[in-house]
Amino acid sequence: MPQHKLTQLQELESESIHIMREVVAEFRNPVMLYSVGKDSSVMLHLARKAFHPGPLPFSLLHVDTGYKFKEMYEFRDWYVKEVGAKLIVHRNEDAIAKGMNPQDFGVARCCGALKTGALLEALEIGDYDAAFGGARRDEERSRAKERVYSMRDSFGQWDPKNQRPELWSLYNGRIHDGESVRVFPISNWTEMDVWQYIREENIPIVPLYYAKERLMVERGDHLIPAEEGQFLLEGEEPKMVMSRYRTLGCMPCTGAVRSSANTIEGIIEEASIATRSERETRIIDHGSNSMEDKKKEGYF
Amino acid sequence: MPSSNQASNQASNQASNQASDQEIELLRLVTVGSVDDGKSTLIGRLLYDTKGAFEDQLQAVRKDDGEGANGIDLAQLTDGLAAEREQGITIDVAYRYFSTPKRKFIMADCPGHEQYTRNMVTGASTANAAIILIDARKGVLQQTRRHTHIIGLLGLPHLIVAINKMDLIDYDEATFNRIKEELSEFCARQNIHDLICIPISALAGDMVVDRGDNMSWYQGQTVLETLEGVEVSGHIDEADFRFPVQYVCRPQTKELPDFRGFMGRIASGTVKVGDEVMQLPAGKKSKIKEIVTFDGNLDEAFAPQSVTLTLADEIDISRGDIIVHADKAPQIANEIDAIVCWMGEEPLTPRKKYHIKHATNTVKAMVSEIQYRTDINALTQDETAEALAVNEIGKVSLKLMSPLTVDRYADNRATGNFIIIDSFTNNTVGAAMIC
Ligand SMILES: Nc1nc2c(ncn2[C@@H]2O[C@H](COP(=O)(O)OP(=O)(O)OP(=O)(O)O)[C@@H](O)[C@H]2O)c(=O)[nH]1
Ligand SMILES: [Mg+2]
């Protein structure tokens, strides 16, 4: 008799596909948030698998701050075309025109306007009732608390003390007009699962994840890219450093790590001995509670 | 085989980068028990000792007074909400992850407070193993009984009892045995047998990952050894095939003008190309033509794979229908009896109408009768009950506005459960198991 067993990655994949199909079947107008990073690459790949041989039954939405890396824009446009997805890009043009930046206005205000503000604006314009996000519970301790279906009120706000029970794999998609859900199909994946899946499925990712000599400045514990348009402080001297990114965000707020891993094997090797979480290279998470507070305000 | 795999226990969170990757299975685990019995501390301890927590995460919960593991407040590793850390209690489930070379674990850390029972049921519903924590100083409490009863109703295949805070009772074997007796007796009354009981100190670390030096009188396995050993894949081959249709795929593209595939996740059992199948509730029959996936067609598929089925005949199938083997059909019901864990602030009462979601189908239903309410302490049934209040458990009869294709929960966990939704607030107010 054949052994019927799934590996843990196959089981996670099946769970994610089940969630995506459930949302598409039950919601009026879903959209998939696409942030160009590795988790988004995995999400898009899972979505293609979920609806094969049909086309993707929703658009991708990139909430762009204008501060992403050049390689991210190039990769986004190439990959989206490659898989035949429909991409919507939304920016908070108002704030961008006023010169919003983390240096002068602070990280919290900048993120509030260019990310949370722009996201809420885009969801409203698109009239979406469900938005897929690639957040994982292993990323951060307030994420570890979130349901797969995260209910949001008409302001997009999360109420962590009053989450709906979520039983078995029966997701309750009933909402009132004006409410929406954020859906996290890869909730149960870890950073390692994501890398291994990328290897096993040969999923393309932005080249910034691979190590090469890059122009950097050292700021405290962080390695900050000294690319064009970057804000440098007095006395900061850019130099070439063999480095790569563990997570990707906005250029001014994303740190790199010293590394020589230039293959997926190398990345997995590094991740397997990492002693610090990937979030640490994101300047925005720091400060007590910041993720929980941001989510309460509508961040995804 | 105590202490034999000490080395493997030292595995890191990210240790899955090995040849054995392919065989690594998933175990979904939940910790339950009364308030302050040490659930979050145990999960923190498991993460800490298996190096499943990163240094920066540990740093964030380091205290000055040097208690616990190197001065780390282990419970705060999982208590991720500000309100939880302020109050020192768990409010909602936290999901944490770690792997050893043998397994990947998804751990749901549940709150012990009665007020948050709905969150405990949430965490337990997807698990295949539970650890019930008991404070050795306090023994079996009402919440221990409530949680144990719920775990029993949910039918989790594996139950482990961790008698915690042994450090506070001088690691006393007699106390351990007394509590073990007491809980075993309570469990036997609801048909839960063969309890695995482990004396531990989550705070000091004894018998969690390492054996420690304080309990040489205990010969059994540590918590981690037990978790690595329990069977996870169950009896897929013996279970009847159930395929709730989630979504009908009709691309209508130039390449696939006539493709009609039924998308879903196999809830139980296995299916092969050529199998005689039947769609329910209408009962139309056909044969499996293809099992389609992105990676190519399969000859055979099994639970819990997500696949797309095509059939040899053009029969009408839509979301909410269930595809089964023609000779092993479930029941079609217009009325069902179910054990309900009630979570609504408004009590459940006869004649009230709700929505219920079962598999991929949502229908309206009316409560026709409350058969009984369970007394958690005495395990008796109060047949005079006229309502189920929040956090109460009982047996209820429901009249369905349209028929559902159901199994008994005891026969099939995946098609034997449903949720009750308040039609006005849209909240999930009940977890139900069909009897
Ligand atoms: N001495 C001792 N104290 C412990 C042990 N395990 C937990 N504690 C302490 O007991 C208290 C409660 O622990 P938690 O882990 O928060 O308990 P909990 O079961 O998660 O509580 P709730 O989630 O609120 O139900 C904390 O102060 C812990 O440090 C142990 O093995 N020995
Ligand atoms: Mg707790």
Side-chain angles (χ1 to χ4, degrees), chain A residues 244-271:
Chain A
R244 64 180 198 88
Y245 296 89
R246 272 178 89 185
T247 68
L248 291 177
C250 294
M251 206 173 39
C253 293
T254 304
V257 292
R258 282 171 209 280
S259 163
S260 55
N262 56 6
T263 59
I264 190 78
E265 302 299 333
I267 292 174
I268 289 175
E269 181 72 42
E270 256 182 36

PDB file of all heavy atoms in Angstrom, chain A residues 244-271:
ATOM      1  N   ARG A 244      24.039  41.644   1.192  1.00  0.00           N
ATOM      2  CA  ARG A 244      22.757  41.337   0.573  1.00  0.00           C
ATOM      3  C   ARG A 244      21.642  41.744   1.528  1.00  0.00           C
ATOM      4  O   ARG A 244      21.892  42.168   2.664  1.00  0.00           O
ATOM      5  CB  ARG A 244      22.649  39.848   0.237  1.00  0.00           C
ATOM      6  CG  ARG A 244      22.669  38.950   1.458  1.00  0.00           C
ATOM      7  CD  ARG A 244      22.551  37.489   1.073  1.00  0.00           C
ATOM      8  NE  ARG A 244      22.157  36.701   2.224  1.00  0.00           N
ATOM      9  CZ  ARG A 244      20.903  36.479   2.592  1.00  0.00           C
ATOM     10  NH1 ARG A 244      19.898  36.964   1.883  1.00  0.00           N
ATOM     11  NH2 ARG A 244      20.629  35.781   3.675  1.00  0.00           N
ATOM     12  N   TYR A 245      20.377  41.629   1.069  1.00  0.00           N
ATOM     13  CA  TYR A 245      19.240  42.013   1.907  1.00  0.00           C
ATOM     14  C   TYR A 245      18.478  40.758   2.335  1.00  0.00           C
ATOM     15  O   TYR A 245      18.266  39.864   1.530  1.00  0.00           O
ATOM     16  CB  TYR A 245      18.307  42.951   1.131  1.00  0.00           C
ATOM     17  CG  TYR A 245      18.992  44.260   0.786  1.00  0.00           C
ATOM     18  CD1 TYR A 245      19.720  44.400  -0.394  1.00  0.00           C
ATOM     19  CD2 TYR A 245      18.950  45.331   1.672  1.00  0.00           C
ATOM     20  CE1 TYR A 245      20.381  45.576  -0.693  1.00  0.00           C
ATOM     21  CE2 TYR A 245      19.609  46.512   1.383  1.00  0.00           C
ATOM     22  CZ  TYR A 245      20.324  46.637   0.197  1.00  0.00           C
ATOM     23  OH  TYR A 245      20.981  47.796  -0.081  1.00  0.00           O
ATOM     24  N   ARG A 246      18.080  40.733   3.585  1.00  0.00           N
ATOM     25  CA  ARG A 246      17.248  39.610   4.064  1.00  0.00           C
ATOM     26  C   ARG A 246      15.782  39.918   3.841  1.00  0.00           C
ATOM     27  O   ARG A 246      14.962  39.025   3.665  1.00  0.00           O
ATOM     28  CB  ARG A 246      17.491  39.354   5.559  1.00  0.00           C
ATOM     29  CG  ARG A 246      18.635  38.400   5.820  1.00  0.00           C
ATOM     30  CD  ARG A 246      18.850  38.222   7.309  1.00  0.00           C
ATOM     31  NE  ARG A 246      18.044  37.137   7.875  1.00  0.00           N
ATOM     32  CZ  ARG A 246      18.000  36.868   9.176  1.00  0.00           C
ATOM     33  NH1 ARG A 246      18.684  37.604  10.032  1.00  0.00           N
ATOM     34  NH2 ARG A 246      17.253  35.867   9.625  1.00  0.00           N
ATOM     35  N   THR A 247      15.412  41.180   3.949  1.00  0.00           N
ATOM     36  CA  THR A 247      14.046  41.591   3.630  1.00  0.00           C
ATOM     37  C   THR A 247      14.177  42.859   2.806  1.00  0.00           C
ATOM     38  O   THR A 247      15.193  43.546   2.874  1.00  0.00           O
ATOM     39  CB  THR A 247      13.211  41.936   4.883  1.00  0.00           C
ATOM     40  OG1 THR A 247      13.751  43.116   5.465  1.00  0.00           O
ATOM     41  CG2 THR A 247      13.219  40.833   5.892  1.00  0.00           C
ATOM     42  N   LEU A 248      13.147  43.177   2.043  1.00  0.00           N
ATOM     43  CA  LEU A 248      13.193  44.369   1.207  1.00  0.00           C
ATOM     44  C   LEU A 248      12.079  45.321   1.584  1.00  0.00           C
ATOM     45  O   LEU A 248      10.935  44.920   1.787  1.00  0.00           O
ATOM     46  CB  LEU A 248      13.051  43.984  -0.272  1.00  0.00           C
ATOM     47  CG  LEU A 248      14.240  43.230  -0.871  1.00  0.00           C
ATOM     48  CD1 LEU A 248      13.943  42.837  -2.311  1.00  0.00           C
ATOM     49  CD2 LEU A 248      15.506  44.071  -0.796  1.00  0.00           C
ATOM     50  N   GLY A 249      12.423  46.580   1.682  1.00  0.00           N
ATOM     51  CA  GLY A 249      11.422  47.601   1.963  1.00  0.00           C
ATOM     52  C   GLY A 249      11.809  48.855   1.219  1.00  0.00           C
ATOM     53  O   GLY A 249      12.245  48.787   0.069  1.00  0.00           O
ATOM     54  N   CYS A 250      11.676  49.991   1.885  1.00  0.00           N
ATOM     55  CA  CYS A 250      12.082  51.245   1.269  1.00  0.00           C
ATOM     56  C   CYS A 250      13.578  51.440   1.479  1.00  0.00           C
ATOM     57  O   CYS A 250      14.106  51.125   2.542  1.00  0.00           O
ATOM     58  CB  CYS A 250      11.336  52.403   1.909  1.00  0.00           C
ATOM     59  SG  CYS A 250       9.585  52.354   1.572  1.00  0.00           S
ATOM     60  N   MET A 251      14.226  52.013   0.470  1.00  0.00           N
ATOM     61  CA  MET A 251      15.667  52.154   0.514  1.00  0.00           C
ATOM     62  C   MET A 251      16.178  52.887   1.763  1.00  0.00           C
ATOM     63  O   MET A 251      17.136  52.431   2.394  1.00  0.00           O
ATOM     64  CB  MET A 251      16.139  52.852  -0.744  1.00  0.00           C
ATOM     65  CG  MET A 251      17.544  52.526  -1.093  1.00  0.00           C
ATOM     66  SD  MET A 251      17.991  53.198  -2.673  1.00  0.00           S
ATOM     67  CE  MET A 251      17.203  54.781  -2.705  1.00  0.00           C
ATOM     68  N   PRO A 252      15.555  53.997   2.155  1.00  0.00           N
ATOM     69  CA  PRO A 252      16.095  54.709   3.322  1.00  0.00           C
ATOM     70  C   PRO A 252      15.968  53.927   4.625  1.00  0.00           C
ATOM     71  O   PRO A 252      16.667  54.220   5.582  1.00  0.00           O
ATOM     72  CB  PRO A 252      15.236  55.987   3.394  1.00  0.00           C
ATOM     73  CG  PRO A 252      14.541  56.084   2.089  1.00  0.00           C
ATOM     74  CD  PRO A 252      14.407  54.702   1.569  1.00  0.00           C
ATOM     75  N   CYS A 253      15.066  52.983   4.679  1.00  0.00           N
ATOM     76  CA  CYS A 253      14.777  52.305   5.944  1.00  0.00           C
ATOM     77  C   CYS A 253      15.117  50.817   5.950  1.00  0.00           C
ATOM     78  O   CYS A 253      14.709  50.090   6.843  1.00  0.00           O
ATOM     79  CB  CYS A 253      13.317  52.496   6.319  1.00  0.00           C
ATOM     80  SG  CYS A 253      12.937  54.202   6.710  1.00  0.00           S
ATOM     81  N   THR A 254      15.800  50.336   4.929  1.00  0.00           N
ATOM     82  CA  THR A 254      16.129  48.917   4.888  1.00  0.00           C
ATOM     83  C   THR A 254      17.631  48.743   4.998  1.00  0.00           C
ATOM     84  O   THR A 254      18.376  49.328   4.216  1.00  0.00           O
ATOM     85  CB  THR A 254      15.663  48.288   3.566  1.00  0.00           C
ATOM     86  OG1 THR A 254      14.272  48.531   3.431  1.00  0.00           O
ATOM     87  CG2 THR A 254      15.905  46.786   3.569  1.00  0.00           C
ATOM     88  N   GLY A 255      18.055  47.955   5.951  1.00  0.00           N
ATOM     89  CA  GLY A 255      19.472  47.688   6.089  1.00  0.00           C
ATOM     90  C   GLY A 255      19.859  46.408   5.365  1.00  0.00           C
ATOM     91  O   GLY A 255      19.019  45.533   5.142  1.00  0.00           O
ATOM     92  N   ALA A 256      21.133  46.313   4.999  1.00  0.00           N
ATOM     93  CA  ALA A 256      21.648  45.087   4.389  1.00  0.00           C
ATOM     94  C   ALA A 256      22.411  44.308   5.449  1.00  0.00           C
ATOM     95  O   ALA A 256      22.590  44.778   6.570  1.00  0.00           O
ATOM     96  CB  ALA A 256      22.568  45.445   3.232  1.00  0.00           C
ATOM     97  N   VAL A 257      22.814  43.096   5.113  1.00  0.00           N
ATOM     98  CA  VAL A 257      23.674  42.330   6.009  1.00  0.00           C
ATOM     99  C   VAL A 257      24.946  41.948   5.244  1.00  0.00           C
ATOM    100  O   VAL A 257      24.899  41.746   4.033  1.00  0.00           O
ATOM    101  CB  VAL A 257      22.990  41.039   6.535  1.00  0.00           C
ATOM    102  CG1 VAL A 257      21.851  41.384   7.466  1.00  0.00           C
ATOM    103  CG2 VAL A 257      22.489  40.161   5.386  1.00  0.00           C
ATOM    104  N   ARG A 258      26.061  41.893   5.964  1.00  0.00           N
ATOM    105  CA  ARG A 258      27.286  41.410   5.332  1.00  0.00           C
ATOM    106  C   ARG A 258      27.099  39.941   4.992  1.00  0.00           C
ATOM    107  O   ARG A 258      26.665  39.163   5.833  1.00  0.00           O
ATOM    108  CB  ARG A 258      28.463  41.539   6.304  1.00  0.00           C
ATOM    109  CG  ARG A 258      28.988  42.927   6.423  1.00  0.00           C
ATOM    110  CD  ARG A 258      30.004  43.024   7.568  1.00  0.00           C
ATOM    111  NE  ARG A 258      29.961  44.376   8.108  1.00  0.00           N
ATOM    112  CZ  ARG A 258      30.573  45.413   7.539  1.00  0.00           C
ATOM    113  NH1 ARG A 258      31.290  45.241   6.439  1.00  0.00           N
ATOM    114  NH2 ARG A 258      30.469  46.613   8.047  1.00  0.00           N
ATOM    115  N   SER A 259      27.419  39.578   3.759  1.00  0.00           N
ATOM    116  CA  SER A 259      27.183  38.206   3.355  1.00  0.00           C
ATOM    117  C   SER A 259      27.872  37.937   2.038  1.00  0.00           C
ATOM    118  O   SER A 259      28.098  38.855   1.245  1.00  0.00           O
ATOM    119  CB  SER A 259      25.676  37.982   3.176  1.00  0.00           C
ATOM    120  OG  SER A 259      25.432  36.809   2.435  1.00  0.00           O
ATOM    121  N   SER A 260      28.210  36.677   1.828  1.00  0.00           N
ATOM    122  CA  SER A 260      28.742  36.318   0.519  1.00  0.00           C
ATOM    123  C   SER A 260      27.830  35.293  -0.146  1.00  0.00           C
ATOM    124  O   SER A 260      28.203  34.633  -1.096  1.00  0.00           O
ATOM    125  CB  SER A 260      30.155  35.768   0.677  1.00  0.00           C
ATOM    126  OG  SER A 260      30.115  34.687   1.590  1.00  0.00           O
ATOM    127  N   ALA A 261      26.617  35.159   0.380  1.00  0.00           N
ATOM    128  CA  ALA A 261      25.687  34.155  -0.167  1.00  0.00           C
ATOM    129  C   ALA A 261      25.116  34.652  -1.494  1.00  0.00           C
ATOM    130  O   ALA A 261      24.288  35.549  -1.507  1.00  0.00           O
ATOM    131  CB  ALA A 261      24.565  33.890   0.837  1.00  0.00           C
ATOM    132  N   ASN A 262      25.568  34.058  -2.572  1.00  0.00           N
ATOM    133  CA  ASN A 262      25.049  34.511  -3.863  1.00  0.00           C
ATOM    134  C   ASN A 262      24.271  33.432  -4.604  1.00  0.00           C
ATOM    135  O   ASN A 262      24.039  33.507  -5.806  1.00  0.00           O
ATOM    136  CB  ASN A 262      26.171  35.089  -4.731  1.00  0.00           C
ATOM    137  CG  ASN A 262      27.293  34.087  -4.909  1.00  0.00           C
ATOM    138  OD1 ASN A 262      27.162  32.937  -4.474  1.00  0.00           O
ATOM    139  ND2 ASN A 262      28.372  34.499  -5.531  1.00  0.00           N
ATOM    140  N   THR A 263      23.879  32.392  -3.861  1.00  0.00           N
ATOM    141  CA  THR A 263      22.993  31.373  -4.428  1.00  0.00           C
ATOM    142  C   THR A 263      21.896  31.113  -3.406  1.00  0.00           C
ATOM    143  O   THR A 263      22.035  31.464  -2.228  1.00  0.00           O
ATOM    144  CB  THR A 263      23.727  30.029  -4.627  1.00  0.00           C
ATOM    145  OG1 THR A 263      24.212  29.609  -3.343  1.00  0.00           O
ATOM    146  CG2 THR A 263      24.886  30.169  -5.598  1.00  0.00           C
ATOM    147  N   ILE A 264      20.838  30.462  -3.857  1.00  0.00           N
ATOM    148  CA  ILE A 264      19.747  30.150  -2.936  1.00  0.00           C
ATOM    149  C   ILE A 264      20.246  29.183  -1.854  1.00  0.00           C
ATOM    150  O   ILE A 264      19.863  29.287  -0.689  1.00  0.00           O
ATOM    151  CB  ILE A 264      18.518  29.606  -3.708  1.00  0.00           C
ATOM    152  CG1 ILE A 264      17.309  29.510  -2.799  1.00  0.00           C
ATOM    153  CG2 ILE A 264      18.790  28.291  -4.373  1.00  0.00           C
ATOM    154  CD1 ILE A 264      16.627  30.802  -2.540  1.00  0.00           C
ATOM    155  N   GLU A 265      21.138  28.290  -2.230  1.00  0.00           N
ATOM    156  CA  GLU A 265      21.726  27.366  -1.235  1.00  0.00           C
ATOM    157  C   GLU A 265      22.447  28.164  -0.156  1.00  0.00           C
ATOM    158  O   GLU A 265      22.322  27.881   1.034  1.00  0.00           O
ATOM    159  CB  GLU A 265      22.752  26.426  -1.887  1.00  0.00           C
ATOM    160  CG  GLU A 265      22.232  25.570  -3.026  1.00  0.00           C
ATOM    161  CD  GLU A 265      21.126  24.639  -2.587  1.00  0.00           C
ATOM    162  OE1 GLU A 265      21.109  24.284  -1.386  1.00  0.00           O
ATOM    163  OE2 GLU A 265      20.279  24.280  -3.423  1.00  0.00           O
ATOM    164  N   GLY A 266      23.195  29.150  -0.603  1.00  0.00           N
ATOM    165  CA  GLY A 266      23.951  29.972   0.332  1.00  0.00           C
ATOM    166  C   GLY A 266      23.031  30.724   1.277  1.00  0.00           C
ATOM    167  O   GLY A 266      23.303  30.847   2.474  1.00  0.00           O
ATOM    168  N   ILE A 267      21.929  31.215   0.735  1.00  0.00           N
ATOM    169  CA  ILE A 267      20.968  31.957   1.561  1.00  0.00           C
ATOM    170  C   ILE A 267      20.362  31.032   2.611  1.00  0.00           C
ATOM    171  O   ILE A 267      20.238  31.377   3.788  1.00  0.00           O
ATOM    172  CB  ILE A 267      19.862  32.577   0.681  1.00  0.00           C
ATOM    173  CG1 ILE A 267      20.459  33.688  -0.197  1.00  0.00           C
ATOM    174  CG2 ILE A 267      18.733  33.123   1.546  1.00  0.00           C
ATOM    175  CD1 ILE A 267      19.485  34.262  -1.205  1.00  0.00           C
ATOM    176  N   ILE A 268      20.005  29.829   2.190  1.00  0.00           N
ATOM    177  CA  ILE A 268      19.396  28.874   3.128  1.00  0.00           C
ATOM    178  C   ILE A 268      20.399  28.510   4.222  1.00  0.00           C
ATOM    179  O   ILE A 268      20.064  28.457   5.407  1.00  0.00           O
ATOM    180  CB  ILE A 268      18.900  27.622   2.371  1.00  0.00           C
ATOM    181  CG1 ILE A 268      17.681  28.015   1.533  1.00  0.00           C
ATOM    182  CG2 ILE A 268      18.574  26.489   3.326  1.00  0.00           C
ATOM    183  CD1 ILE A 268      17.151  26.928   0.638  1.00  0.00           C
ATOM    184  N   GLU A 269      21.612  28.297   3.812  1.00  0.00           N
ATOM    185  CA  GLU A 269      22.686  28.012   4.755  1.00  0.00           C
ATOM    186  C   GLU A 269      22.779  29.132   5.805  1.00  0.00           C
ATOM    187  O   GLU A 269      22.823  28.879   7.006  1.00  0.00           O
ATOM    188  CB  GLU A 269      23.998  27.941   3.947  1.00  0.00           C
ATOM    189  CG  GLU A 269      25.237  27.639   4.751  1.00  0.00           C
ATOM    190  CD  GLU A 269      25.264  26.193   5.208  1.00  0.00           C
ATOM    191  OE1 GLU A 269      24.916  25.317   4.380  1.00  0.00           O
ATOM    192  OE2 GLU A 269      25.612  25.948   6.382  1.00  0.00           O
ATOM    193  N   GLU A 270      22.764  30.366   5.315  1.00  0.00           N
ATOM    194  CA  GLU A 270      22.869  31.502   6.226  1.00  0.00           C
ATOM    195  C   GLU A 270      21.659  31.600   7.150  1.00  0.00           C
ATOM    196  O   GLU A 270      21.779  31.838   8.345  1.00  0.00           O
ATOM    197  CB  GLU A 270      22.994  32.803   5.436  1.00  0.00           C
ATOM    198  CG  GLU A 270      24.397  33.339   5.443  1.00  0.00           C
ATOM    199  CD  GLU A 270      24.513  34.666   4.707  1.00  0.00           C
ATOM    200  OE1 GLU A 270      23.577  35.507   4.777  1.00  0.00           O
ATOM    201  OE2 GLU A 270      25.532  34.842   4.055  1.00  0.00           O
ATOM    202  N   ALA A 271      20.483  31.408   6.564  1.00  0.00           N
ATOM    203  CA  ALA A 271      19.263  31.503   7.369  1.00  0.00           C
ATOM    204  C   ALA A 271      19.274  30.436   8.455  1.00  0.00           C
ATOM    205  O   ALA A 271      18.742  30.629   9.541  1.00  0.00           O
ATOM    206  CB  ALA A 271      18.031  31.364   6.480  1.00  0.00           C
TER     207      ALA A 271
END
